[in-house]
Amino acid sequence: MKLELLVFVLCFSFQFLVSRALECSSSKVAYTITVSQSGDANFTTVTDALKFIPSGNNQWIKILLKPGTYKEKIEIQQDKGCIVLEGEDRTTTKITYDAHSNTLESVTFAVSMDNFVAKGVTFENSYNIIQKDTVPGVVPAVAYKSYGDKHAFYSCGFVGFQDTIWDDKGRHYFKSCYIEGAADFIWGNGQSVYEECEINVTGEGFITAHGRESAGDTSGYVFRGCSVSGTGRVELGRAYRSFARVIFIDSKFDNVINPEGWSIWHQEGHENDITFAEVNCKGPGADTSNRVPWEKKLDASEVEQYTTQAFVDQDGWIAKQPL
């Protein structure tokens, strides 16, 4: 191990002994480690770089990925903290794997810790993309899972077919990201804002499947200024649980949205509890004249509840992360 890395480990291990703070101690990166498949970096795999970060870390550590396709299956456990994963560009820097069938075990990249930032990286599950023309039907194959609070993504890519993003727990913010899939490809119980994201529909299915379980549950998906296009036909969402909540605001829909727009799925009788809504959306797919009758109509005060600040950034955590 290089001397500077050894010193880093000793310093951060001592820090953990004297401080068990759950929050990141500043908004600046304390240390950067590099990953390159060519060997001209601290590590050749993302997995080894993550192993290097000590448990209980509370200072921002950046993992800088050099361009390449990293075939790795990764889970960042809850005992880590304060990590930035940054690639050169989502078109040149990819983490991919092809696990499938079992949803929990299929995830290419899973984050269970709090305080995580990704920028300029694509997360992919390649299984259905490769197999969909050669086998009957598709199976769950997750590209990315968020299961922690205060996760932010900037100019990232998420590529799959079924269950692409498992957006499942905590507050999450997606800005200028590319998301590809067909069947329930943004799903779970997260409390998330997707802002100015490009959503590419590649088959028949549903964009979202949200799992809000009660009226007091703060979770939901809000899409602001996003674009939806592609080669498939989808509904904007179906109710994964009885109080599902998905709102599209100021977004543009190409002609890929089915006229009914939304599906009750297995939650019949809960139409009044589900919040599916469209506000000021445009494009050939935004005609709401044939939408399901239980789609919600939000007034101005209700729409204000779904700004980025009001919905996920009440304590200003986004500005405290290193960008």
Side-chain angles (χ1 to χ4, degrees):
M1 180 181 290
K2 294 181 180 180
L3 179 60
E4 62 268 25
L5 293 184
L6 179 60
V7 171
F8 169 78
V9 170
L10 293 174
C11 289
F12 275 77
S13 296
F14 175 75
Q15 177 193 57
F16 179 53
L17 291 175
V18 299
S19 174
R20 295 295 294 266
L22 297 177
E23 296 302 319
C24 303
S25 59
S26 76
S27 60
K28 296 182 179 180
V29 172
Y31 199 87
T32 297
I33 54 180
T34 56
V35 180
S36 173
Q37 293 173 319
S38 64
D40 58 339
N42 300 127
F43 300 97
T44 58
T45 68
V46 182
T47 301
D48 286 343
L50 287 166
K51 288 179 180 177
F52 169 74
I53 298 173
S55 298
N57 167 60
N58 72 342
Q59 294 196 43
W60 285 106
I61 301 173
K62 179 184 287 188
I63 299 175
L64 191 62
L65 296 183
K66 296 194 176 181
T69 298
Y70 299 84
K71 188 171 183 180
E72 302 182 51
K73 191 173 186 294
I74 295 167
E75 181 176 1
I76 307 180
Q77 298 287 349
Q78 194 171 9
D79 62 345
K80 302 285 186 178
C82 308
I83 294 174
V84 178
L85 182 70
E86 183 174 331
E88 179 182 83
D89 185 271
R90 69 169 180 84
T91 64
T92 61
T93 312
K94 180 192 296 184
I95 300 172
T96 186
Y97 209 75
D98 57 2
H100 55 278
S101 190
N102 182 304
T103 305
L104 183 61
E105 297 178 358
S106 75
V107 185
T108 296
F109 199 102
V111 179
S112 299
M113 53 169 261
D114 295 341
N115 299 297
F116 177 75
V117 178
K119 181 180 180 181
V121 181
T122 286
F123 305 93
E124 177 188 73
N125 192 310
S126 64
Y127 179 75
N128 288 325
I129 299 169
I130 297 170
Q131 301 290 332
K132 65 181 180 180
D133 294 327
T134 61
V135 298
V138 296
V139 295
V142 180
Y144 183 88
K145 179 184 179 183
S146 268
Y147 193 79
D149 196 32
K150 293 181 284 189
H151 294 181
F153 309 87
Y154 301 91
S155 302
C156 287
F158 302 87
V159 177
F161 193 82
Q162 180 174 343
D163 298 348
T164 303
I165 300 179
W166 191 350
D167 183 352
D168 197 40
K169 180 183 178 182
R171 293 171 296 169
H172 311 140
Y173 178 60
F174 298 77
K175 177 67 180 290
S176 302
C177 291
Y178 171 86
I179 304 165
E180 179 180 304
D184 302 337
F185 61 101
I186 304 171
W187 70 287
N189 194 36
Q191 182 173 341
S192 305
V193 170
Y194 294 77
E195 189 172 351
E196 298 174 3
C197 292
E198 179 185 353
I199 299 171
N200 182 25
V201 177
T202 59
E204 296 186 6
F206 306 85
I207 295 174
T208 65
H210 192 253
R212 185 168 174 248
E213 296 183 341
S214 70
D217 186 337
T218 60
S219 67
Y221 298 153
V222 177
F223 297 84
R224 301 186 64 91
C226 294
S227 65
V228 181
S229 60
T231 58
R233 294 287 296 181
V234 292
E235 295 178 20
L236 296 168
R238 59 178 173 176
Y240 187 50
R241 292 288 185 265
S242 300
F243 288 79
R245 177 161 56 178
V246 179
I247 299 101
F248 284 84
I249 301 171
D250 297 326
S251 294
K252 181 181 178 181
F253 303 152
D254 282 355
N255 193 26
V256 295
I257 309 299
N258 291 326
E260 61 274 18
W262 309 92
S263 171
I264 196 68
W265 203 9
H266 301 303
Q267 311 303 327
E268 292 87 353
H270 288 275
E271 288 83 354
N272 290 333
D273 301 322
I274 293 167
T275 303
F276 286 163
E278 303 164 64
V279 180
N280 297 328
C281 295
K282 302 183 184 305
D287 181 359
T288 60
S289 60
N290 292 308
R291 292 292 195 254
V292 293
W294 42 271
E295 181 184 50
K296 297 296 188 295
K297 305 299 182 185
L298 305 181
D299 61 31
S301 63
E302 290 172 313
V303 173
E304 284 297 310
Q305 300 174 26
Y306 300 112
T307 65
T308 298
Q309 181 177 5
F311 195 60
V312 297
D313 194 32
Q314 307 90 334
D315 52 358
W317 63 270
I318 294 175
K320 296 175 185 176
Q321 294 185 323
L323 301 178

